[in-house]
Amino acid sequence: MIRAWLLRDGVEGHEDVPVDQLVDAIDPPKNLLWVDCVDLTDDELESLQSQLKISHLAAEDLRKGGQRTKLEHYPEHYHVAVHDCGLDADDELVTREIDIVFSDGWLLSVRQPSDSSDDPSPFGVEAVTQRFDAERMSEDHVDDEDEGLLVWAFLDVIVDGYFEVNERFDDRLDAVEEIVFSSTRGDDIPKEVFDLRRSMVHFRRAVAPLREVLAAMLRREADCLGDTAIAHLQDVYDHVLRVTDWIESQRDLLTGLLEADLAVISNRLNQVMKRMTSWGAILLGSTLIAGIYGMNFTHMPELNWTFGYPAAIGSMLLLTVGLYVWFSRRGWL
Amino acid sequence: MIRAWLLRDGVEGHEDVPVDQLVDAIDPPKNLLWVDCVDLTDDELESLQSQLKISHLAAEDLRKGGQRTKLEHYPEHYHVAVHDCGLDADDELVTREIDIVFSDGWLLSVRQPSDSSDDPSPFGVEAVTQRFDAERMSEDHVDDEDEGLLVWAFLDVIVDGYFEVNERFDDRLDAVEEIVFSSTRGDDIPKEVFDLRRSMVHFRRAVAPLREVLAAMLRREADCLGDTAIAHLQDVYDHVLRVTDWIESQRDLLTGLLEADLAVISNRLNQVMKRMTSWGAILLGSTLIAGIYGMNFTHMPELNWTFGYPAAIGSMLLLTVGLYVWFSRRGWL
Amino acid sequence: MIRAWLLRDGVEGHEDVPVDQLVDAIDPPKNLLWVDCVDLTDDELESLQSQLKISHLAAEDLRKGGQRTKLEHYPEHYHVAVHDCGLDADDELVTREIDIVFSDGWLLSVRQPSDSSDDPSPFGVEAVTQRFDAERMSEDHVDDEDEGLLVWAFLDVIVDGYFEVNERFDDRLDAVEEIVFSSTRGDDIPKEVFDLRRSMVHFRRAVAPLREVLAAMLRREADCLGDTAIAHLQDVYDHVLRVTDWIESQRDLLTGLLEADLAVISNRLNQVMKRMTSWGAILLGSTLIAGIYGMNFTHMPELNWTFGYPAAIGSMLLLTVGLYVWFSRRGWL
Amino acid sequence: MIRAWLLRDGVEGHEDVPVDQLVDAIDPPKNLLWVDCVDLTDDELESLQSQLKISHLAAEDLRKGGQRTKLEHYPEHYHVAVHDCGLDADDELVTREIDIVFSDGWLLSVRQPSDSSDDPSPFGVEAVTQRFDAERMSEDHVDDEDEGLLVWAFLDVIVDGYFEVNERFDDRLDAVEEIVFSSTRGDDIPKEVFDLRRSMVHFRRAVAPLREVLAAMLRREADCLGDTAIAHLQDVYDHVLRVTDWIESQRDLLTGLLEADLAVISNRLNQVMKRMTSWGAILLGSTLIAGIYGMNFTHMPELNWTFGYPAAIGSMLLLTVGLYVWFSRRGWL
Amino acid sequence: MIRAWLLRDGVEGHEDVPVDQLVDAIDPPKNLLWVDCVDLTDDELESLQSQLKISHLAAEDLRKGGQRTKLEHYPEHYHVAVHDCGLDADDELVTREIDIVFSDGWLLSVRQPSDSSDDPSPFGVEAVTQRFDAERMSEDHVDDEDEGLLVWAFLDVIVDGYFEVNERFDDRLDAVEEIVFSSTRGDDIPKEVFDLRRSMVHFRRAVAPLREVLAAMLRREADCLGDTAIAHLQDVYDHVLRVTDWIESQRDLLTGLLEADLAVISNRLNQVMKRMTSWGAILLGSTLIAGIYGMNFTHMPELNWTFGYPAAIGSMLLLTVGLYVWFSRRGWL
């Protein structure tokens, strides 16, 4: 599905443009044509490609999706691929690729389908529109740089979503930490830790290349962005640095948690072994006493004592209590 | 075996060229001579070397094979060594070295034998020809840059094969993960993990240097490639980045899986030890009771009770049930 | 709460300035206006923004806080975000963000609330004032560079606080080390180690980017700092390098401690298992002897010997002593 | 022992030069004087130093040996230190330092003693001479660049030896791998792995800096090498990259093997514990039955049954078989 | 304590200079004034500061000590801080900070107190004097570069000391290795390994920044050093590279040793468990036989056999021998 709007300089609001008359609406210094697509069919793509003169290599990327986060220069336009990230109901990472192709006077945003069939919150352009309009109406806005501001609005919304993912990771790290160091721990920590690790690895793969993309923009490699947009993108760049710093910390802590978990398990095994040894000694000691008085020697004076039996039981109890105290004191029980 | 074709500018299709008349066919600005060899003999190589004026150092490389992925500059030509990768029936990595020597007007491709005696799918030039012809016939094609396009066709086919290897690795990672966290796990996980790791290490060694090779081409260090080819190679470069990113993630996850596996094993050992301790205590406790009433004291009133025997058996059962419940509640059984 | 002082060149001491007449006090080559805020309200921020002409992106950062350590260039001013660090009563890391916005003639310091609700020592400007005044009154002071000196005073006080955190980490590392290698060790080492690790990870995240901030200042990217301040900041830069070196060493040692701890636990487990095996053999051996003489064969000559019983007990003792000596010699007991 | 040859341009073969008349033989544009030493005495060194005008710092290096792989520039000459590597009978790494000092018109090669007293194959100059002569007699040889070609011949022979070391490492890795995953594994794997690791660490220390040495030569920092030599050294550089890549892969696999070994050991420990628990339960169960019928109660009807004894034995057998089947099915036996 | 010498160009030997007349002795192109201090008091420092015009930031560093290894540029002079390293009687690392402040015509060396109260070999200037004099008297010495040579003499003596530390580390690594793989190993390996690791971490922290210090000098950032000194410092730089390479290798081997140790411990635990299981089965088997013939059934024909008792004992022995052989063959005993 394609929708297209014309944004006239100095005029508030968006004008709808028929999808097959895009070329007429492009008028670089004055207006911005924004074409937004979702569930793009091959026919639609072909129409866009011929109208907007998109390179056939870029068009191929738009058709297939599955691009890595990148900024590519084509003679006639730029192509930015980014990934909106979120977590689904099972806390698995969901990524939604957004391809932004732009040049002087027009911007094409293609929202690729999410990589999870059961995506709880697909990417919506409303947040982008809202942020873009707000900035466009602010006083220090320069009219002919709307392309850059729209790119910024997309990136800003997407990167804001990264912080939520980070926060959710923090919550899960806290949960795992609590279980690792609690005395009533379950046995499914390795699975928890590994799931979290996988999410982090995938998240990092989506986010990390965005640093280079933004650095290239800040070096003004894409010349149609404009000064205001660059200043705003500096802010997004800073956010991306925070996100990647945060992921690194979280990965570090996760590794630390798994190591701590192994140490905790080893400690408990030691504890179990000591307890086992202690109780084994106590029970075997008493069994030995019983065994001794079960021998069939003719001359065993104790057997005929009136209090022989209570004495034997008593010595068993004494041994049990004695060993119990001794092992307790050494911390084995 | 050598085959040679002449590709005339503006003319569709390939013309066969006799192998001993290669020199006559070289006419840089107009045509492209493509020589393709497989199972190259020393005589054939000598003939090629003298006809195409290949440096004797490069000829030595072609003869011996076993080159690392690289781009080398010689005064008269360039030499690119790449490795086509695949997996054999046992999921072991198979690499097939392809050496491409090219200069203005001619390109020599030498397909070295695969490093596995039992290669399921040797590299075929058909895919290269097909992709090259398609691009050559496209409208925005410039005739005198066919050398670069042919280099691109080779690299594009080879790098596409890398994604299949990556996907197979992902499948195997999923399989290992399922076994690690399943309750009916086998004991051969370390071997599985190590085999996978070795394949990844070898794959990485073949793929990683391709980044530098392509970066050098994009910096136009090989001056006979042409603008169209450079634009296409940018795409291949991007694919190689995706492949290497992917390998890194997979290595990371594999390490995580082995660590998780160790934690799972430790957990199970703990569980086995607790169960062992519990059953030991239950059985030894009953044995002790039996031992006590096996003592031969003259004065043991219980021995003469009518219900002494059932009482003893009962106390054993009671102890067993009591300890069983107690240990179960603590999660030891 | 906002307070503002005017520092006239060549005049000792600070003059109070009404908060709504800041603009009049700015007179770049001659004076320095220092505005210090704590618990900034939105109204106060708006007033400052309009008076000092702060960029609305920077104002947004000041309002929200939670910035990463950074130096940002705006057309009209610079923005430095740093974090004062300390440890609370539970030895958890507390960070207090300080935002410094400065330009020719004025400096605004915003002290954000601490990230711990129970901060034992909130950041006070007194130390900054004192250090700044001392340097300002020194003989080799150049009057029109007060902005840079004030920035330096802030950073110097904050970085000095980092050393205290490092020293506390060293103390805790020593404490953990003593426990790991002591014979009466507790079981809570993994928790200790992990807590320490988390503090270090967070500390590092706050401190590490300060290197780049200072390097940028030393490269004179902020042109209103002045030569004296640059020379002083070189000193702070050196301190930050020492702090980050120190953290790296501490992280390295912490990792080493956890690994050593695992090895120690494994050694002890081995020791426990050997002791268990030894005592098991001793007790089971004696039990076997008792069992043998508890058999009911008609023809067992020893049973009728006068000294049969003492002999059996004696052989048990002999076995016990013999095995005890044997196992002791092998270091199993 | 010193030997010196004069190589006249355009003349095949070497001319002997008296060791005390070296100066007369140096005639840069035309000839090359090659001085080769082994077991250099202090007197000989002094004579060489004064005749060839070797810097006293370089002379000190030649006398003491133990240099790291490096290229050093002196005003009058260059000094290259490399290490020929091999493996002795116990598969321990042997390094033999070769110092090459060269300038326009002369080259001095000093073969330092091997670092192993029992070196199976000391470095011989014959291979160098042979390779140098072959290249010198080839058609595309330029006469006045013999210095560079001789340097190349040394490095080429040495680097070729590295591949043999790498191959031997591969063989040993395969051997260790086979043992780790075989069911009849020995216990000396950690020692094997550590020995291999140590050899790799030392090998890497000798080889890795050669990359920088060659890169410096390729950047033409040593100006007397000549174009042909540079082209040949490019080939050696490529070999060194292959060697270092290979070492990295081998280190990676070795780490993987040790981790796999730990996982295998843990698996086996788990298996042993389960078997132990199973047999313990079987034996203790039967012992308990025996204990029950060893009790001395007056009223134990089974004791007087005719088939009481066979029934007891039968129940023991039943219990044994039952538990055996049950544990086998669960994979504990 | 301060001592000062004047070194006149072309004149051998040192002339004493009164400590309060340093200024008169400074005469850059001709002479070198060397001031050496140990246990510097605040008064002495103040006198030096005013006489030599030392920056108050540098003076503060000299007073407090505890600097990181660095080279700092001040308008009037340079400041180099290095650390002489050694090992005390307990093999703990001792560092002794040496601060060298120099400019055209004078050099001030401040020997800070050692960081260990019980330093076996404090840094002595004698070695420096000796090396400096030897080089100063050599023939290729240029008179007006004495400042650089003195800096070199200090660094050369200090770096030579590093090799001794490295060698001691190698000895200790060998000792630990021998214990790890010996059969009569002690249990204190983790402590040994950790102590060694800590020493290495601290050593590395002292040595590693020296690379940058020397690289800066070789880039001639300190312009009063002179060509001869630069050539000599190249040699020191090379030594520092060797030292840091060596530390890296040692750290690598140490990590390898700890991992090998864990694998060895795991192997031994496996061995102990197998032995325990074997002996448990042997003893419990015999106990079961004894238990069976201890049952009180009326009809147990074996009990009345004449050779019943010896047969029972014999079957116990048979079982013991049989199991012993069986377990031995499987390598469990």
Side-chain angles (χ1 to χ4, degrees), chain C residues 278-299:
Chain C
S278 309
W279 279 113
I282 291 175
L283 285 172
L284 278 177
S286 293
T287 304
L288 178 59
I289 293 179
I292 288 171
Y293 293 109
M295 293 194 294
N296 297 321
F297 288 102
T298 319
H299 304 284

Side-chain angles (χ1 to χ4, degrees), chain E residues 185-204:
Chain E
R185 66 201 301 273
D187 288 336
D188 47 358
I189 291 171
K191 177 114 181 73
E192 281 287 304
V193 168
F194 181 74
D195 283 350
L196 199 43
R197 182 176 186 138
R198 189 172 44 193
S199 293
M200 283 182 190
V201 166
H202 288 164
F203 186 45
R204 196 171 175 280

Side-chain angles (χ1 to χ4, degrees), chain A residues 275 279 283, chain B residues 271 273-283 319-333:
Chain A
R275 202 166 292 180
W279 279 113
L283 284 172
Chain B
Q271 202 56 40
M273 292 312 300
K274 286 177 175 173
R275 202 166 292 179
M276 182 177 167
T277 307
S278 309
W279 278 114
I282 291 175
L283 285 172
L319 182 78
T320 301
V321 170
L323 283 176
Y324 186 89
V325 170
W326 193 65
F327 283 123
S328 290
R329 286 223 180 126
R330 295 185 58 188
W332 284 45
L333 274 174

Side-chain angles (χ1 to χ4, degrees), chain D residues 29 46 93-94 98 124 149 180 199-200 247 267 307:
Chain D
E46 210 166 298
L93 194 80
V94 179
I98 316 280
L149 268 190
V180 165
S199 293
M200 283 181 191
I247 304 176
N267 268 338
F307 295 105

Side-chain angles (χ1 to χ4, degrees), chain A residues 177 249 252 273 296 298 302, chain C residues 198 205 293 295 303-304:
Chain A
E177 187 196 335
S249 302
D252 207 345
M273 293 310 301
N296 297 320
T298 320
E302 298 97 321
Chain C
R198 189 173 44 193
R205 218 168 101 196
Y293 293 109
M295 293 194 294
L303 294 184
N304 298 311

Side-chain angles (χ1 to χ4, degrees), chain A residues 202-216:
Chain A
H202 289 164
F203 186 45
R204 197 171 175 279
R205 217 168 101 197
V207 174
L210 197 50
R211 268 192 313 215
E212 274 90 63
V213 168
L214 281 159

Side-chain angles (χ1 to χ4, degrees), chain A residues 69 81-87 93-96 155-169 203 205-210 214 236 239-240 242-244 246-247 250:
Chain A
T69 302
V82 279
H83 295 82
D84 182 51
C85 294
L87 291 162
L93 194 80
V94 179
T95 64
R96 311 164 193 107
L155 294 179
D156 201 40
V157 168
I158 290 167
V159 171
D160 273 5
Y162 293 166
F163 284 104
E164 282 165 39
V165 176
N166 267 340
E167 265 155 32
R168 183 73 195 116
F169 283 163
F203 186 45
R205 217 168 101 197
V207 174
L210 197 50
L214 281 159
V236 178
H239 290 179
V240 172
R242 260 165 76 194
V243 170
T244 49
W246 203 345
I247 305 176
Q250 286 173 332

Side-chain angles (χ1 to χ4, degrees), chain E residues 236-311:
Chain E
V236 178
Y237 181 62
D238 198 67
H239 289 178
V240 171
L241 285 186
R242 262 165 76 193
V243 170
T244 49
D245 268 23
W246 203 346
I247 304 176
E248 288 314 309
S249 302
Q250 286 173 332
R251 281 166 60 95
D252 207 344
L253 290 179
L254 192 68
T255 306
L257 266 180
L258 194 64
E259 284 172 4
D261 185 50
L262 275 174
V264 165
I265 297 177
S266 293
N267 268 337
R268 305 225 168 154
L269 182 61
N270 248 358
Q271 203 55 40
V272 168
M273 292 311 301
K274 286 177 174 172
R275 203 166 292 181
M276 182 177 167
T277 308
S278 309
W279 279 114
I282 290 175
L283 286 172
L284 278 177
S286 293
T287 304
L288 178 59
I289 294 179
I292 288 172
Y293 292 110
M295 294 194 292
N296 296 321
F297 287 102
T298 319
H299 304 284
M300 285 179 73
E302 297 97 322
L303 294 185
N304 299 311
W305 292 355
T306 311
F307 294 104
Y309 175 51

